[in-house]
Amino acid sequence: MDVSPILWSPLRLGAISLNNRLVMAPMTRCRSNADGVPSDMNAEFYAQHASMGLIIAESTQICDRGRGYENAPGCYTQAHVEGWRKVVDAVHAHGGRMTIQLYHCGRMTHPDLIGGQRPVAPSAVAPDLTVHTSGSVAKPAPVPHALTLDEIAAVIEDFRVAASYAIAAGADGVEVHAANGYLLHQFLADNTNLRADRYGGPVENRIRLVLEVTRAVVDEIGAERTGIRISPGTSKRTAIVENDTRGLYGALVTALAPLDLAYLHLMFAGPDESLLHSVRTAWPHGFVLNRVNADLASRLRDVADTAADATALARMALANPDLVERIKKGAQLNEPDTRTFYSGGAHGYLDYPLLSDSPYQPSA
């Protein structure tokens, strides 16, 4: 495979210095402790991937009610901070950089996962899907509670506090998760946001919460340590409908640009390349592209052609902790085992084969 030398050149995303243009995309793996405290397994997993230019840690809930998965991490208690500190320290010890992705699942959860509470959303509209609850028992997602204005203000504060805790844990930054059908995305979408107040209706109202959350995070930790993820047109498994994707995200990206964020992380499932081009053109700062389902050559070409400053990889990175070295050497890639994505153990998490001269080798 012909690899452009640009891929190995340094990149600065705000205050975050990358030594290559490969980014590990956030991936929920359900290996944290039951209370959301990152585990020793999490620390080893992320340390294995430290040769990536940047690691974006998995979706991390900002409050109890924001939890969408069993054994997913949180970032809103001191115990969470201590757990994340072990993870970040392990990544830094191996020369890596790491941001923590902060999210609220909104309606994409079940009372069994959030202490019997009712899920929340912009409006009382249930998603037509099932949620894997305790023990992976699938149950229908219920009708959520429509957030009041006071509750929206509390969500903004939860994001701010979680961002401060992430930095206290030593993370190089945070990523605001406004994608993949979770709460902030629900405020953007036509079918999930039926509000008649200042957060609903026209596009300028539907983008308001994303902007307010992002500004709160910026005010707390600085724009140079704040990224954001969006996923225009990505409706698979999210029960999201966007009637005017171009208009919606054109307005959102234009409104976000003056905040001088470290980076925009675009999850792009295609096929509208003109949408990708319009976002790239409108965004003046660091641009990370996750081209969903594309092969490795296409992703690397995005960087070589300056369609993106860096490319984010999920499954390829998951199965190849030493992906950087494998690409440099033209080595064969491990295939991901989908059966172990959410299994909860070390198998399929910590035991993918490493090259004999991989920069990370287990201590035992």
Side-chain angles (χ1 to χ4, degrees):
M1 183 188 303
D2 185 23
V3 178
S4 168
I6 295 174
L7 191 67
W8 312 123
S9 63
L11 173 66
R12 193 165 184 86
L13 300 177
I16 309 167
S17 297
L18 286 61
N19 58 20
N20 63 64
R21 307 299 182 98
L22 295 175
V23 172
M24 179 173 164
M27 292 173 282
T28 295
R29 302 302 308 278
C30 300
R31 261 77 167 193
S32 294
N33 296 318
D35 57 2
V37 174
S39 66
D40 290 342
M41 279 201 304
N42 297 153
E44 182 176 352
F45 171 71
Y46 285 116
Q48 284 184 357
H49 293 81
S51 60
M52 298 290 283
L54 176 66
I55 294 170
I56 305 174
E58 62 205 275
S59 298
T60 300
Q61 60 247 15
I62 59 167
C63 61
D64 286 336
R65 213 166 184 174
R67 182 185 189 197
Y69 303 91
E70 192 174 24
N71 296 111
C75 195
Y76 53 96
T77 71
Q78 193 57 42
H80 293 150
V81 172
E82 296 305 319
W84 275 117
R85 184 174 289 122
K86 289 192 298 183
V87 174
V88 175
D89 284 352
V91 170
H92 286 169
H94 288 84
R97 295 291 179 266
M98 184 177 204
T99 61
I100 297 175
Q101 187 190 68
L102 301 178
Y103 92 124
H104 190 304
C105 67
R107 69 178 192 162
M108 303 285 282
T109 190
H110 189 277
D112 288 1
L113 292 173
I114 54 177
Q117 301 177 91
R118 189 175 169 190
V120 300
S123 304
V125 180
D128 184 17
L129 49 76
T130 57
V131 175
H132 288 282
T133 63
S134 181
S136 292
V137 177
K139 296 184 179 182
V143 175
H145 161 70
L147 288 164
T148 66
L149 292 178
D150 286 345
E151 289 169 335
I152 290 174
V155 167
I156 297 169
E157 178 65 6
D158 286 339
F159 269 99
R160 185 194 64 77
V161 171
S164 73
Y165 281 11
I167 298 303
D172 297 287
V174 306
E175 179 174 287
V176 175
H177 197 356
N180 298 86
Y182 298 121
L183 182 64
L184 297 186
H185 198 180
Q186 291 161 27
F187 271 83
L188 297 175
D190 298 271
N191 68 318
T192 49
N193 186 346
L194 308 181
R195 302 178 72 94
D197 59 13
R198 65 179 183 268
Y199 290 98
V203 167
E204 59 266 27
N205 285 354
R206 285 186 282 122
I207 68 175
R208 188 185 306 276
L209 182 58
V210 175
L211 295 175
E212 290 180 346
V213 164
T214 308
R215 289 189 188 110
V217 171
V218 165
D219 288 346
E220 183 65 32
I221 67 170
E224 70 279 6
R225 297 193 181 279
T226 303
I228 188 168
R229 188 188 210 194
I230 59 173
S231 58
T234 304
S235 59
K236 184 180 180 182
R237 293 182 60 247
T238 65
I240 287 290
V241 175
E242 295 165 353
N243 293 326
D244 180 13
T245 303
R246 180 71 63 83
L248 172 63
Y249 286 95
L252 178 60
V253 171
T254 298
L256 286 167
L259 298 181
D260 296 329
L261 303 182
Y263 67 86
L264 172 68
H265 179 189
L266 176 68
M267 185 174 180
F268 180 70
D272 186 1
E273 289 289 323
S274 65
L275 173 62
L276 169 57
H277 178 73
S278 67
V279 171
R280 175 59 162 150
T281 301
W283 186 253
H285 312 297
F287 186 64
V288 178
L289 176 60
N290 184 343
R291 190 182 282 276
V292 180
N293 297 324
D295 60 20
L296 180 60
S298 298
R299 293 166 184 263
L300 300 186
R301 192 162 51 246
D302 284 328
V303 177
D305 296 344
T306 68
D309 295 311
T311 182
L313 304 107
R315 294 185 178 201
M316 273 183 273
L318 179 156
N320 296 277
D322 48 5
L323 182 61
V324 171
E325 289 70 34
R326 288 177 185 268
I327 294 174
K328 285 181 176 179
K329 296 178 179 180
Q332 184 175 354
L333 301 184
N334 302 318
E335 289 296 322
D337 182 357
T338 59
R339 298 168 300 177
T340 62
F341 281 2
Y342 312 105
S343 68
H347 176 53
Y349 190 60
L350 302 178
D351 58 357
Y352 280 102
L354 299 168
L355 297 174
S356 60
D357 56 349
S358 170
Y360 179 91
Q361 297 294 337
S363 56

